Amino acid sequence: FLSLVAEFCCGFFVILILGNFWFLAVLYLLWLYLDWETPCTGGRRSQWVRSWTVWKYFREYFPIHLVKTSDLSPNHNYLLGFHPHGVLVAGAFGNFCTGASFKNLFPGLTPYLHIMPIWFGCPFFREYIMSAGMVSASKNSVSYVLNNKGGGHASIIVIGGAEESLNAHPGSLTLNILKRKGFIKMALKHGAHLVPVFSFGENELFKQVANPKGSWLRNVQEKLQKIMGFALPLFHARGVFQYSFGLIPYRQPIHTVVGSPIPVKQNLNPTTEEIEQLHALYLQNLRKLFEEHKGNYGIPEHKSLIFE
């Protein structure tokens, strides 16, 4: 959905340039230059945009639910690790960028969903995603959010990134996380408490063309991902009036479960060993969160998370 909106925004900008409104395009480019760093300095959220009625229908379509397992004190800052990426990242968008579910469950906390910096280079589209509460996933952006001295900020990072979307097959429980330790270092440097988040149903929204590791398709997808910065999963789901084929996601419930916080003491210069230890503890808590709740959301008892 966001990709379609981005394409529309870029197309509109091209129309301005080619039409008789080129001066508006020039003014916008000037604005873009002056406003370039805003996605890295907390963005520019709008409660009005986040409360649009369309997002209520978006959440009810699947439906999307946010599940609280523990209180998060607004006196601290938090880094929430979101898993899995899926194709659409619907749980992250629906729960942290729309409506009042997060605010009602975790009063005093302001969520910031970090996404790839490339999206903020798209004319007009960048204004929308910032108004929804999305900010850049750059180190400077994460640091800006977690540097809030009074606490009350929550950075949400989709840990597996674009690469993990290539594993987004129904029933898949494979997470790209073993080599991803930058978020651990950021949590240590800022003393941000770590919170594992698992979104049950995220991988059930689309069917993806078979792309096992080592296949020619997977090799091409991984090479393109390294070049462009984002992955290109080949997926399909249902149509508007039929369920056989289309790009509309299946109506599968999504339950985004927010785990208990892992207290983190600030360490401006963490050693490799300290990062490894906290990373191992995070994996342990993530697995525990999954095991405790998988039975509630249709995951067979014998199924477990696979870390890669």
Side-chain angles (χ1 to χ4, degrees):
F1 175 79
L2 290 179
S3 296
L4 291 175
V5 177
E7 291 175 8
F8 173 81
C9 291
C10 289
F12 179 69
F13 185 71
V14 171
I15 292 174
L16 288 181
I17 295 176
L18 299 179
N20 295 324
F21 302 98
W22 58 267
F23 62 94
L24 293 178
V26 172
L27 288 175
Y28 184 80
L29 287 175
L30 176 60
W31 162 255
L32 195 63
Y33 173 77
L34 297 174
D35 195 57
W36 189 253
E37 293 300 320
T38 301
C40 295
T41 54
R44 188 169 46 247
R45 70 179 55 224
S46 165
Q47 192 56 42
W48 175 68
V49 172
R50 290 168 60 88
S51 301
W52 281 353
T53 302
V54 66
W55 303 132
K56 175 178 178 289
Y57 293 120
F58 173 81
R59 294 192 303 273
E60 292 178 350
Y61 171 81
F62 298 97
I64 295 175
H65 303 280
L66 186 63
V67 181
K68 174 182 176 179
T69 64
S70 177
D71 289 332
L72 298 181
S73 170
N75 296 324
H76 301 291
N77 293 319
Y78 299 89
L79 196 159
L80 279 62
F82 184 93
H83 312 270
H85 184 288
V87 171
L88 191 63
V89 206
F93 176 74
N95 285 310
F96 305 122
C97 297
T98 74
S101 294
F102 186 88
K103 182 179 179 180
N104 292 337
L105 291 176
F106 303 103
L109 285 184
T110 301
Y112 296 82
L113 179 60
H114 296 271
I115 63 175
M116 291 186 296
I118 189 174
W119 292 113
F120 296 97
C122 179
F124 301 116
F125 180 66
R126 69 188 295 275
E127 316 305 333
Y128 162 67
I129 56 179
M130 280 196 289
S131 67
M134 288 178 254
V135 292
S136 172
S138 68
K139 291 181 180 179
N140 289 341
S141 177
V142 177
S143 291
Y144 184 91
V145 173
L146 297 181
N147 262 337
N148 188 42
K149 301 302 180 182
H153 282 189
S155 280
I156 298 100
I157 301 177
V158 184
I159 304 300
E163 183 182 356
E164 193 173 84
S165 67
L166 300 178
N167 291 328
H169 296 271
S172 174
L173 296 172
T174 300
L175 303 181
N176 291 51
I177 192 172
L178 291 182
K179 295 181 180 179
R180 296 180 181 264
K181 299 171 184 176
F183 73 104
I184 298 292
K185 187 174 182 179
M186 293 298 289
L188 281 166
K189 291 183 71 172
H190 296 283
H193 294 354
L194 279 168
V195 182
V197 178
F198 195 87
S199 196
F200 291 90
E202 198 75 45
N203 284 340
E204 319 306 315
L205 306 185
F206 296 93
K207 291 180 180 178
Q208 190 173 167
V209 175
N211 59 343
K213 288 201 170 184
S215 66
W216 69 269
L217 176 58
R218 186 60 169 258
N219 290 336
V220 170
Q221 288 175 320
E222 290 177 346
K223 287 180 181 178
L224 288 175
Q225 189 266 323
K226 290 179 180 178
I227 294 172
M228 299 184 298
F230 56 90
L232 292 173
L234 299 179
F235 59 89
H236 66 88
R238 54 164 290 185
V240 178
F241 302 110
Q242 45 77 28
Y243 291 85
S244 301
F245 188 84
L247 296 179
I248 298 176
Y250 292 115
R251 297 191 71 175
Q252 296 290 339
I254 298 172
H255 293 86
T256 303
V257 184
V258 181
S260 300
I262 303 170
V264 177
K265 186 177 181 180
Q266 186 173 25
N267 184 346
L268 296 178
N269 296 293
T271 64
T272 301
E273 183 180 359
E274 290 168 333
I275 293 173
E276 294 284 352
Q277 288 177 349
L278 185 54
H279 187 261
L281 179 60
Y282 179 85
L283 294 183
Q284 179 183 327
N285 282 33
L286 174 59
R287 188 181 295 279
K288 179 182 177 182
L289 177 70
F290 174 81
E291 292 295 332
E292 288 179 348
H293 295 274
K294 67 180 184 181
N296 298 331
Y297 307 116
I299 307 294
E301 184 63 31
H302 68 279
K303 291 257 189 174
S304 296
L305 293 178
I306 300 172
F307 297 147
E308 287 187 345

